[in-house]
Amino acid sequence: MSAKCTLGIDLGGTNFRIGIVSADGTILRVEKTPVGQKRTAADIVKLMSGGVKKMRSECQDVTSIGIGIPGIVDSDEGVVFKSPHFPDWSDVKFGPMISQETGMSVVIDNDANMVAVGEAWLGAGSGLENFVMVTLGTGIGGGIICNGHIWRGDHGFAGEVGHTLINFDGPACNCGSRGCFEMYASATGLKHLVEDSSDPSKPKFMKIFHNEIERVTPKAIYDLAREGDIFASAIWKKFGVYLGAGLAGIVNTLGITNIVIGGGVSAAWDFFIKETQKELSRRTYKKTASLVRLHKAKLGDEAGILGSARTASS
Amino acid sequence: MSAKCTLGIDLGGTNFRIGIVSADGTILRVEKTPVGQKRTAADIVKLMSGGVKKMRSECQDVTSIGIGIPGIVDSDEGVVFKSPHFPDWSDVKFGPMISQETGMSVVIDNDANMVAVGEAWLGAGSGLENFVMVTLGTGIGGGIICNGHIWRGDHGFAGEVGHTLINFDGPACNCGSRGCFEMYASATGLKHLVEDSSDPSKPKFMKIFHNEIERVTPKAIYDLAREGDIFASAIWKKFGVYLGAGLAGIVNTLGITNIVIGGGVSAAWDFFIKETQKELSRRTYKKTASLVRLHKAKLGDEAGILGSARTASS
């Protein structure tokens, strides 16, 4: 492996993945490590630094690391204020800690921001001056690309679009608010939509899952919709409507008309996107609606690693 | 009057005001003209150009005009796509039309953007790199200052924060959506809050207005709250809660922690701001909430004229 590589790391709640990325955006190698039960910041720093050292031994010319972290991150200071997957973390100087352990230059940022940078570099956002990246996973992540750069706001917290409002008195969200966007248009939202439905076709659908809501994953609802299940299809349509409603608020606020939609749940694209477009049009001015373009993310799981590497190398 | 003056114009639904503004931001003279019944774009262009010519005769060195216009404006092209006060207007080349009539250089923009520029120049936003201007009037206007400049988005439509969502199935809004922010935290919102209330103190309150909801203006509710009316005070508190909920979504999206609040309805500041702060804290992460600052706008009615002049001169 040649010079001028960068390490891109994507930290999730279950695993982290370290990728060696070349200057042209080729992922030369990826290693996945389970996070395990020990989840303090010190534990994760130790585990991740070990992984970095191992990867670096395979490519001596790597000098910088980019890390995407779920949560509220101050990229300038390298601090994680809060992470939904690591509830013990509070004002953790994660960037400096990894840097000290590895002797390498480290940039950290919110994971959705890293995905946005990845898609801007080599994916669906390539060539777009401005776009909003929305990742549909357990929750909803967001990254805003403004004039070709990630917009972090005053303290690094921009793009928390999952916590914009859909329903004033809606279900309680982890963030402390109620009725957040991510309580409707994410994996968590899908569960709520199933639970709250009183559609007559629901009992037949639930029977497939032995009436256990825990088993009702986005993948399972997707598979059933593909098999023609009426209830599953209706759930995706409702999901699409809420997605459109939330995106409309983002478009009205930012005036950015290109939206890139990624994350695991976006795999069901064909089952929800028409409703999303319709609702978005209903909730924006006609002129605005005519200019909005919804793009399917192109890089899948690799976006975070690529964006992290890109951020570290720039 | 000396050289280097600029005309700042603030167009409203009832009047427009033309101000002669010096380079240091002194308003040397203001003239107010009723818009009247003839409201096509050609009518308003004629009326406004007449006013401009008259003002210019008093200060020969004025060569540029800035105009703040309520509605969806493409500032680059000088086009008004839609204006709530002038329903006949559609894709009107207002800037070029005024320029042709007056022979002067013309810049137009959304009125709340002009207010934001005014407050950034000489008001509550002075010295702030980033802030969001929110104007509470009949509806809610917004202007976003990013790195010291107005952020217009891809086509000039950024800052339409009045049309972010509060309640998915809320009351129908002029924009075509339902449950928009401005259906709760504006003059229009106040009327809805009064109408929807079933508080036992409401009948006594409504009796003062002969039970006619049209008479229930923000000013009247403000005056009654000052006199200690329980119902009026409760309405302002509810208003404050909804204002906080809407602002939380803006803060979560943009990551901008300074909010400047202006517009006529903001005069009741003391009666709603505590609830606004509380609700904003409830609907943002603790760290974010600790950094948010709400500022009362300083320039009142003059902000639009000053911002329009500033935009034209820069």
Side-chain angles (χ1 to χ4, degrees):
Chain A
M1 289 171 196
S2 71
K4 290 186 183 167
C5 288
T6 312
L7 295 187
I9 305 183
D10 188 25
L11 174 63
T14 319
N15 305 289
F16 61 83
R17 290 174 307 132
I18 307 181
I20 303 179
V21 181
S22 70
D24 68 352
T26 308
I27 299 181
L28 303 170
R29 199 165 117 70
V30 178
E31 191 137 311
K32 189 165 158 178
T33 309
V35 165
Q37 297 303 313
K38 292 181 176 176
R39 300 170 80 87
T40 69
D43 294 327
I44 304 298
V45 166
K46 199 177 158 192
L47 203 62
M48 194 180 277
S49 299
V52 164
K53 285 171 193 166
K54 198 178 144 209
M55 292 294 258
R56 194 178 43 180
S57 70
E58 298 180 21
C59 178
Q60 291 296 337
D61 292 315
V62 175
T63 54
S64 64
I65 313 174
I67 312 172
I69 297 174
I72 305 289
V73 176
D74 181 341
S75 183
D76 287 343
E77 304 290 331
V79 173
V80 181
F81 288 110
K82 193 185 162 80
S83 175
H85 298 306
F86 305 96
D88 294 342
W89 296 19
S90 174
D91 296 7
V92 170
K93 294 195 170 83
F94 196 82
M97 285 162 86
I98 294 280
S99 185
Q100 186 156 12
E101 280 292 314
T102 61
M104 292 169 78
S105 146
V106 175
V107 184
I108 71 170
D109 203 349
N110 170 272
D111 54 353
N113 283 357
M114 292 301 201
V115 168
V117 172
E119 290 288 341
W121 185 21
L122 298 162
S126 170
L128 297 174
E129 197 59 7
N130 306 311
F131 72 91
V132 181
M133 178 80 220
V134 175
T135 59
L136 311 175
T138 309
I140 299 180
I144 302 167
I145 299 285
C146 248
N147 299 325
H149 297 280
I150 198 85
W151 169 255
R152 295 195 180 95
D154 288 316
H155 305 275
F157 313 156
E160 286 293 326
V161 300
H163 303 289
T164 56
L165 204 52
I166 292 286
N167 253 329
F168 188 82
D169 290 317
C173 179
N174 280 336
C175 77
S177 182
R178 308 193 73 88
C180 291
F181 188 16
E182 73 174 34
M183 299 308 286
Y184 295 86
S186 66
T188 308
L190 279 167
K191 275 210 166 69
H192 278 284
L193 295 180
V194 170
E195 283 182 305
D196 294 349
S197 172
S198 54
D199 192 284
S201 59
K202 182 178 166 184
K204 195 182 149 210
F205 169 91
M206 285 306 293
K207 222 173 157 185
I208 298 165
F209 301 102
H210 305 280
N211 287 312
E212 289 170 28
I213 188 75
E214 292 70 31
R215 295 188 181 200
V216 185
T217 62
K219 172 81 168 64
I221 311 174
Y222 174 60
D223 288 342
L224 282 171
R226 288 182 67 184
E227 288 167 22
D229 184 277
I230 295 168
F231 184 78
S233 299
I235 287 293
W236 281 118
K237 281 185 181 168
K238 264 193 200 173
F239 173 94
V241 170
Y242 285 115
L243 180 59
L247 293 181
I250 298 169
V251 168
N252 281 329
T253 300
L254 290 166
I256 293 178
T257 50
N258 285 290
I259 314 277
V260 177
I261 303 171
V265 180
S266 70
W269 185 269
D270 292 342
F271 291 105
F272 65 73
I273 200 67
K274 266 189 200 159
E275 302 301 322
T276 303
Q277 274 159 333
K278 219 185 287 175
E279 187 70 8
L280 223 161
S281 296
R282 207 169 71 91
R283 293 189 182 267
T284 50
Y285 286 111
K286 208 173 151 188
K287 185 75 193 179
T288 312
S290 73
L291 295 161
V292 171
R293 298 288 175 272
L294 303 180
H295 310 265
K296 196 174 178 178
K298 282 185 180 164
L299 303 178
D301 261 5
E302 297 188 344
I305 288 173
L306 289 168
S308 297
R310 177 70 165 179
T311 302
S313 68
S314 61
Chain B
M1 290 174 195
S2 72
K4 289 186 183 168
C5 287
T6 311
L7 295 187
I9 305 182
D10 187 27
L11 174 62
T14 318
N15 304 290
F16 61 82
R17 290 174 306 132
I18 308 181
I20 304 179
V21 181
S22 70
D24 67 352
T26 308
I27 299 181
L28 302 170
R29 200 165 115 69
V30 178
E31 191 137 311
K32 188 165 156 178
T33 309
V35 165
Q37 297 304 311
K38 292 182 175 175
R39 301 170 80 88
T40 69
D43 293 328
I44 303 298
V45 166
K46 200 178 158 190
L47 203 61
M48 194 179 277
S49 299
V52 164
K53 285 171 194 165
K54 199 179 144 211
M55 292 292 259
R56 194 178 42 181
S57 69
E58 298 178 22
C59 178
Q60 291 296 337
D61 291 314
V62 175
T63 54
S64 64
I65 312 173
I67 312 171
I69 296 174
I72 305 289
V73 176
D74 181 339
S75 182
D76 287 344
E77 304 289 332
V79 173
V80 181
F81 289 111
K82 192 183 165 78
S83 174
H85 299 305
F86 305 97
D88 295 341
W89 296 20
S90 173
D91 297 8
V92 170
K93 294 195 172 81
F94 197 81
M97 285 162 86
I98 294 280
S99 185
Q100 187 155 13
E101 281 292 315
T102 61
M104 291 168 79
S105 147
V106 175
V107 184
I108 71 170
D109 203 348
N110 169 273
D111 54 354
N113 282 358
M114 292 302 200
V115 169
V117 172
E119 291 286 344
W121 185 20
L122 299 162
S126 171
L128 297 174
E129 197 57 8
N130 307 311
F131 72 91
V132 181
M133 178 79 221
V134 175
T135 59
L136 310 175
T138 308
I140 299 180
I144 301 167
I145 299 285
C146 248
N147 300 325
H149 297 280
I150 197 86
W151 169 255
R152 294 195 179 95
D154 287 318
H155 306 275
F157 313 156
E160 285 294 326
V161 300
H163 302 289
T164 56
L165 204 51
I166 291 285
N167 252 330
F168 188 81
D169 288 317
C173 179
N174 280 336
C175 78
S177 182
R178 307 193 73 87
C180 291
F181 188 17
E182 73 175 34
M183 300 309 286
Y184 294 87
S186 66
T188 308
L190 280 167
K191 275 211 166 68
H192 279 284
L193 294 180
V194 171
E195 282 182 305
D196 294 350
S197 173
S198 53
D199 192 283
S201 60
K202 181 177 167 185
K204 195 182 149 210
F205 170 91
M206 285 306 293
K207 221 173 156 184
I208 297 165
F209 302 102
H210 305 279
N211 287 312
E212 289 170 26
I213 187 74
E214 293 71 30
R215 296 189 180 200
V216 185
T217 62
K219 173 81 170 62
I221 310 174
Y222 174 60
D223 288 341
L224 282 171
R226 288 182 67 185
E227 289 167 22
D229 184 276
I230 295 167
F231 184 79
S233 299
I235 287 294
W236 281 118
K237 281 186 182 168
K238 262 192 200 171
F239 173 93
V241 170
Y242 284 115
L243 180 59
L247 293 181
I250 299 169
V251 169
N252 281 330
T253 300
L254 290 166
I256 293 178
T257 49
N258 285 290
I259 314 277
V260 177
I261 303 172
V265 180
S266 69
W269 185 267
D270 292 342
F271 291 106
F272 65 73
I273 201 66
K274 266 190 202 159
E275 301 301 322
T276 303
Q277 275 158 332
K278 220 185 287 175
E279 187 70 9
L280 224 163
S281 296
R282 207 169 72 92
R283 293 189 183 267
T284 50
Y285 285 111
K286 208 173 151 188
K287 185 75 194 178
T288 312
S290 73
L291 295 161
V292 170
R293 299 286 175 272
L294 304 180
H295 310 265
K296 197 175 178 178
K298 282 187 181 163
L299 303 178
D301 261 5
E302 297 189 343
I305 288 173
L306 289 168
S308 298
R310 177 71 164 178
T311 302
S313 68
S314 61

